[in-house]
Amino acid sequence: VESSAIENSKSDFIGFINHNFQNSELTLDFVSGETGVSQRKITSEIQNRFGCNFKTYINRLRINESKRLLANIDLNIGEIAFKVGFNNQSHFNRVFKSEFQISPTEYRENIRE
């Protein structure tokens, strides 16, 4: 195997995360095990590229997808929370509100006015 191919698969743990963020069991340990990239490399790479930690990066992906769903799909907030990978609605509401200063319900009402 060429070293560039190995480098490619190693750097593609971001792609793996981006394709699996809806999995509520997506942990640093899981990503490391599935991609063969050390947890240290994953955390430092995410910090360098996105300026945040692993959990924050995944939450941003989930919140971005939830915004799309809130705007386009008539699921209730709880269903959207689970669909994007949060284990419970209150945690989803907290993360969403900390990111946008409004609740998912308020976001939906504003976007549909």
Side-chain angles (χ1 to χ4, degrees), residues 31-43:
V31 173
S32 178
E34 289 295 305
T35 61
V37 180
S38 75
Q39 293 187 25
R40 207 175 81 243
K41 179 163 170 53
I42 292 170
T43 51

Side-chain angles (χ1 to χ4, degrees), residues 18-79:
N18 292 348
H19 283 80
N20 292 282
F21 69 86
Q22 298 98 333
N23 177 353
S24 64
E25 304 300 310
L26 193 66
T27 61
L28 186 53
D29 190 47
F30 181 76
V31 173
S32 178
E34 289 295 305
T35 61
V37 180
S38 75
Q39 293 187 25
R40 207 175 81 243
K41 179 163 170 53
I42 292 170
T43 51
S44 71
E45 184 81 12
I46 287 176
Q47 184 62 54
N48 292 339
R49 286 176 66 180
F50 305 106
C52 62
N53 65 31
F54 176 81
K55 194 71 190 152
T56 300
Y57 178 69
I58 287 178
N59 281 343
R60 284 181 187 164
L61 293 172
R62 290 174 174 165
I63 292 299
N64 281 335
E65 176 64 3
S66 74
K67 281 170 51 185
R68 192 183 70 75
L69 295 176
L70 286 164
N72 298 313
I73 296 180
D74 285 321
L75 295 174
N76 71 41
I77 305 297
E79 290 170 317

Side-chain angles (χ1 to χ4, degrees), residues 57-111:
Y57 178 69
I58 287 178
N59 281 343
R60 284 181 187 164
L61 293 172
R62 290 174 174 165
I63 292 299
N64 281 335
E65 176 64 3
S66 74
K67 281 170 51 185
R68 192 183 70 75
L69 295 176
L70 286 164
N72 298 313
I73 296 180
D74 285 321
L75 295 174
N76 71 41
I77 305 297
E79 290 170 317
I80 288 175
F82 288 109
K83 198 169 178 62
V84 301
F86 285 95
N87 278 324
N88 69 62
Q89 185 178 339
S90 62
H91 180 60
F92 168 65
N93 287 341
R94 270 195 310 279
V95 172
F96 193 98
K97 195 161 189 155
S98 74
E99 190 81 17
F100 298 109
Q101 288 66 59
I102 59 172
S103 72
T105 306
E106 292 168 314
Y107 177 85
R108 173 177 266 169
E109 287 165 359
N110 292 342
I111 202 115

